[in-house]
Amino acid sequence: MYNNKPPPLQINPTLITPEQAVTIFASLISNVGSIEALGFFYWAISLPKFRYFMRLYIIPTSSFIESGNPERAHEVLRCLVRSFAEIGKLKDAVNIVIDMHNQGLPPSVHTLNYILRVVVDLGLVKLAEHVFEEMSKRGVSPNSCTFSTIIAAHCKAGSGISEVEQWLNAMFEKGYVLDNVECTLVVDHFCKMGFVGKVFGLFETMAEKGFPPNVINYTALVNGLSKRGSIKQAFEVLEEMVRKGWKPNVYTHTALIDGLCKKGWTEKAFRLFLKLVRSDTYKPNGHTYTAMISGYCKEHKLNRAEMLLMRMKEQGIVPNTNTYTTLIDGHCKTGNLVRAHELMDQMVKEGCTPNICTYNAIVDGMCKKGKVQDAYRLLQLGFGRGLSADRFTYTILISEYCRRYDTKQAIVLFTKMLKTGCQPDMHTYTTLISAFCKQKKMRDSEKLFEDSVQLGLVPTKHTYTSIICGYCRVGNTDAALKIFENMSKHGCVADSLTYGALISGLCKEFKLEKARELYNSMIDKGCSPCEVTRLTVAYEYCKKDDSASAMTVLDSLEKKHWIRTVNTLVRKLSSEGKVDIAALFFHKLLDKDPSPDHVTFAAFTTACYDNHKYSIASDLSERISGEIT
Ligand SMILES: *[C@@H]1O[C@H](CO)[C@@H](O)[C@H](O)[C@H]1NC(C)=O
Ligand SMILES: *[C@@H]1O[C@H](CO)[C@@H](O)[C@H](O)[C@H]1NC(C)=O
């Protein structure tokens, strides 16, 4: 019945099942032709109802294989990969594609590279390597695109330097070189991991091959250094490139301005910016203005940021979505939602379409102001305009649930995020882990932590500290200590918050010696204990009537901190009737600071009277009045 008719658009999709769609395809290909059949296929997979129906891909692939049309078969397979990636079933799709070899379809480098790009976009490095292995196993020769994609994946995933180097060498061996984009990624990655020397090594290797570093390579290095905050080195590279006869371009300068701004040296950045404005050859472009606007936003100098927006328009430079989003984010962070909305309207009027980052900025701002319902409404509007939530959108909404202690809804959203193929990052995991730890649900936190490490994500100091706090909260300092010992494996350095949590936890469990050991080691590492930590350790010793140890613990503090802590300690001891030991500390306090805090003094004397220790009180009063006169 479909003979001689281009059928697709005359079919009412609500009336047919996915299985019937497969039948229609089969009938089209055998009765009408492959072009029409393919047309139908594309129409069908544009509809969510059919898009995720596996047989709708398998049958066409098989038919094209049978009819000796491997190109078309590959085309269908690429669609399969894209569709199933959307619902978090990329791995299944990949396996099917690879298995098609057994069905008589030789693998193609084009399809495999396509898969790699999808895999890499989702940050799944391990799967990428699997695909690469399959490629070699099946005799498909990787091309420069293959290597570039995998190298880019490793850089984006923050893999180890040696891994990236291995791939680079494999690539060079085949006679391929990096292109601009990958060069920037690799250089960036090496800089980020602190291996600047390796960049120079790479430049040398390339120079030996007849490609000495050019402006683009140098600019990539300047950019990498600026981003990691090594501004001085960045300027040194700038000098070197000028010495070698290369003229820095506006991108080089923009990288420097961006770096200076990120470091908080906005005024220095602005001076460089003005130099560009005044020069004839290096006029700032849209990126430069945006970098500068971003710098001012970060310092909450929104007036100056707005001024720059005006100035750039006067110069005939058109602000883009990124420029507006930067400014909108700045306003949201300072709580000015009204201006943020105005800017969003304005950008639309100027033909600049807000992207998901723009929405994320405003939605985050709204959530922080408690306007969660409005935030959701705005998002719906964005989705209606064809945008889809990204990792940041999900993380913002998950954080919002976590803030309200609704971990159940947070997990619902998290699951949805995974299902839609949106890869969470460590920040997403940390948000959830921290929320579960606050609710003492350590099992759930552990599971999430394991999952994140399994995915190859790198836990941060914040992740570790949340877990350590959690274990201390449930009285399991053994587990907390074990986690603490693992921190350095991921390059995380404990801070006073981490130590504080651990020390308080240990004190609560009466493991005073271990607490003191940590207390000493944190001071050795140049990390100063906060007021609560100082007080907790000293107080625990006082409770055991070991005032000598308590004093030693406090000895290492600078005078101001010492005085503050001892004041608090005296009040605390007084309120608990430990007048003798409080008196000891009070005298020490007077040695260092002859005019005592009157609140501490009042608390102490009251405690003395309450405990009938009149002589202690009068001794002290005498000393004070003696010193005053
Ligand atoms: C330098 O840039 C060129 C493109 O201009 C690129 O082909 C080359 O691979 C880059 N060199 C390095 C070491 O990344
Ligand atoms: C510490 O790290 C090792 C491997 O790096 C792991 O096997 C162990 O389970 C970790 N310990 C804890 C408590 O997470």
Side-chain angles (χ1 to χ4, degrees):
M1 73 193 236
Y2 294 107
N3 279 354
N4 308 324
K5 267 187 198 168
L9 298 173
Q10 290 162 10
I11 296 173
N12 183 345
T14 53
L15 296 182
I16 57 171
T17 64
E19 195 54 59
Q20 280 168 333
V22 175
T23 316
I24 295 173
F25 177 88
S27 127
L28 280 173
I29 197 161
S30 51
N31 299 326
V32 186
S34 57
I35 302 284
E36 289 76 6
L38 209 58
F40 173 76
F41 166 77
Y42 277 117
W43 169 79
I45 64 164
S46 71
L47 302 167
K49 179 176 178 185
F50 304 128
R51 190 175 178 79
Y52 309 113
F53 189 62
M54 188 60 88
R55 274 170 56 75
L56 192 53
Y57 297 86
I58 301 290
I59 298 299
T61 308
S62 307
S63 327
F64 285 127
I65 294 174
E66 271 165 34
S67 59
N69 200 345
E71 284 303 315
R72 292 293 189 210
H74 277 294
E75 194 178 328
V76 171
L77 287 177
R78 289 193 290 272
C79 294
L80 165 77
V81 168
R82 196 183 49 217
S83 301
F84 281 80
E86 290 166 6
I87 53 169
K89 291 191 177 165
L90 180 57
K91 211 166 172 189
D92 299 336
V94 169
N95 287 335
I96 286 170
V97 175
I98 289 169
D99 188 55
M100 280 297 160
H101 193 191
N102 304 331
Q103 313 290 322
L105 181 69
S108 88
V109 70
H110 177 35
T111 299
L112 288 171
N113 279 348
Y114 180 84
I115 296 183
L116 274 179
R117 277 197 302 277
V118 175
V119 168
V120 163
D121 276 345
L122 294 175
L124 305 170
V125 186
K126 281 186 186 143
L127 188 53
E129 296 211 328
H130 170 68
V131 173
F132 187 84
E133 272 168 32
E134 287 294 334
M135 232 166 152
S136 322
K137 242 194 262 169
R138 290 164 194 278
V140 178
S141 194
N143 59 20
S144 87
C145 206
T146 318
F147 284 109
S148 296
T149 310
I150 295 202
I151 289 170
H154 276 295
C155 292
K156 281 186 196 151
S159 299
I161 293 295
S162 58
E163 244 164 317
V164 178
E165 280 189 315
Q166 236 170 346
W167 283 103
L168 279 172
N169 289 335
M171 179 174 193
F172 293 155
E173 258 168 41
K174 296 248 173 191
Y176 299 125
V177 292
L178 293 168
D179 68 11
N180 282 343
V181 177
E182 276 85 39
C183 157
T184 308
L185 273 174
V186 170
V187 169
D188 234 31
H189 183 56
F190 281 12
C191 288
K192 202 155 130 200
M193 306 285 278
F195 290 91
V196 181
K198 298 249 182 211
V199 177
F200 288 108
L202 186 66
F203 283 3
E204 258 169 47
T205 313
M206 290 293 285
E208 280 161 19
K209 292 178 192 297
F211 299 103
N214 57 23
V215 185
I216 292 172
N217 306 140
Y218 276 120
T219 299
L221 181 52
V222 167
N223 186 41
L225 288 168
S226 296
K227 261 202 210 151
R228 75 183 294 254
S230 308
I231 301 293
K232 192 160 162 266
Q233 247 183 320
F235 275 99
E236 280 164 13
V237 170
L238 181 75
E239 276 168 27
E240 182 186 322
M241 84 184 263
V242 171
R243 240 193 343 264
K244 295 229 166 119
W246 294 103
K247 261 196 160 151
N249 58 27
V250 64
Y251 292 98
T252 327
H253 284 123
T254 301
L256 288 167
I257 287 175
D258 202 32
L260 288 166
C261 284
K262 288 221 165 76
K263 199 108 181 161
W265 296 341
T266 322
E267 285 319 310
K268 276 203 182 102
F270 193 61
R271 277 204 293 277
L272 182 56
F273 180 81
L274 284 182
K275 250 193 212 164
L276 298 188
V277 171
R278 287 194 203 108
S279 90
D280 292 323
T281 36
Y282 305 133
K283 284 285 176 219
N285 62 16
H287 292 296
T288 326
Y289 272 99
T290 305
M292 205 57 241
I293 287 176
S294 165
Y296 280 130
C297 284
K298 207 165 294 138
E299 287 196 342
H300 302 318
K301 291 183 177 160
L302 271 306
N303 287 339
R304 306 202 91 183
E306 289 270 4
M307 201 189 65
L308 279 173
L309 180 73
M310 244 161 53
R311 190 60 52 80
M312 95 188 258
K313 285 181 177 171
E314 283 165 14
Q315 301 291 317
I317 300 166
V318 183
N320 63 16
T321 301
N322 193 12
T323 318
Y324 274 111
T325 301
T326 304
L327 196 53
I328 287 174
D329 189 48
H331 280 298
C332 287
K333 292 246 157 68
T334 55
N336 189 352
L337 289 179
V338 175
R339 181 64 189 147
H341 281 292
E342 264 173 29
L343 281 167
M344 191 148 161
D345 292 340
Q346 186 181 330
M347 74 189 276
V348 172
K349 259 187 224 139
E350 291 173 14
C352 218
T353 320
N355 60 18
I356 192 67
C357 303
T358 325
Y359 280 91
N360 287 346
I362 299 203
V363 165
D364 189 43
M366 289 171 117
C367 285
K368 294 228 165 85
K369 280 215 161 179
K371 299 184 172 177
V372 184
Q373 293 308 322
D374 291 344
Y376 269 94
R377 260 197 294 278
L378 183 74
L379 257 185
Q380 286 308 329
L381 223 62
F383 295 159
R385 290 178 184 150
L387 295 175
S388 40
D390 68 1
R391 153 198 312 174
F392 298 100
T393 323
Y394 277 110
T395 307
I396 291 165
L397 299 177
I398 288 172
S399 304
E400 178 52 34
Y401 279 122
C402 288
R403 205 164 17 236
R404 284 183 277 147
Y405 299 102
D406 191 349
T407 40
K408 215 166 145 192
Q409 278 307 316
I411 284 293
V412 169
L413 216 61
F414 183 67
T415 314
K416 187 170 166 202
M417 172 177 191
L418 294 175
K419 251 200 203 132
T420 52
C422 192
Q423 197 68 29
D425 61 8
M426 200 60 224
H427 180 55
T428 323
Y429 273 103
T430 302
T431 305
L432 283 166
I433 288 171
S434 161
F436 278 117
C437 286
K438 281 192 189 120
Q439 299 191 337
K440 303 188 181 180
K441 292 177 180 162
M442 296 314 291
R443 277 271 159 71
D444 298 287
S445 310
E446 280 164 21
K447 175 80 178 60
L448 284 162
F449 184 76
E450 279 164 22
D451 288 352
S452 68
V453 173
Q454 201 85 49
L455 277 174
L457 296 173
V458 183
T460 64
K461 173 169 79 181
H462 186 61
T463 324
Y464 274 110
T465 304
S466 299
I467 299 180
I468 289 169
C469 286
Y471 277 128
C472 289
R473 217 172 268 134
V474 298
N476 187 355
T477 48
D478 284 340
L481 281 170
K482 280 201 188 110
I483 289 279
F484 177 72
E485 279 157 18
N486 266 7
M487 274 183 95
S488 59
K489 274 189 199 148
H490 284 121
C492 299
V493 181
D495 63 10
S496 60
L497 226 63
T498 326
Y499 277 108
L502 209 44
I503 289 170
S504 297
L506 287 164
C507 286
K508 250 190 263 159
E509 290 179 28
F510 310 111
K511 293 173 181 164
L512 197 47
E513 282 319 301
K514 185 69 194 166
R516 174 140 174 212
E517 191 188 311
L518 283 172
Y519 183 87
N520 289 338
S521 93
M522 82 183 277
I523 290 175
D524 283 347
K525 291 195 174 122
C527 181
S528 75
C530 70
E531 168 83 10
V532 176
T533 309
R534 303 193 293 254
L535 186 67
T536 307
V537 179
Y539 177 70
E540 287 303 317
Y541 277 114
C542 291
K543 255 184 16 197
K544 293 170 77 176
D545 288 325
D546 185 355
S547 57
S549 294
M551 298 236 182
T552 329
V553 160
L554 298 176
D555 264 352
S556 55
L557 300 179
E558 59 170 276
K559 190 173 168 190
K560 204 177 79 202
H561 285 161
W562 188 92
I563 289 175
R564 182 133 54 99
T565 309
V566 173
N567 263 304
T568 321
L569 184 62
V570 169
R571 280 181 234 161
K572 194 165 162 72
L573 290 169
S574 301
S575 76
E576 284 169 22
K578 294 183 179 297
V579 181
D580 294 294
I581 203 160
L584 217 63
F585 276 98
F586 212 138
H587 278 290
K588 283 268 177 200
L589 193 58
L590 287 175
D591 292 345
K592 288 211 192 190
D593 180 14
S595 49
D597 182 282
H598 68 272
V599 179
T600 310
F601 182 65
F604 177 73
T605 42
T606 309
C608 289
Y609 292 133
D610 287 351
N611 291 282
H612 311 293
K613 305 238 168 146
Y614 306 108
S615 63
I616 295 181
S618 62
D619 277 356
L620 206 91
S621 299
E622 252 168 50
R623 181 170 172 191
I624 292 171
S625 54
E627 264 160 21
I628 287 169
T629 53

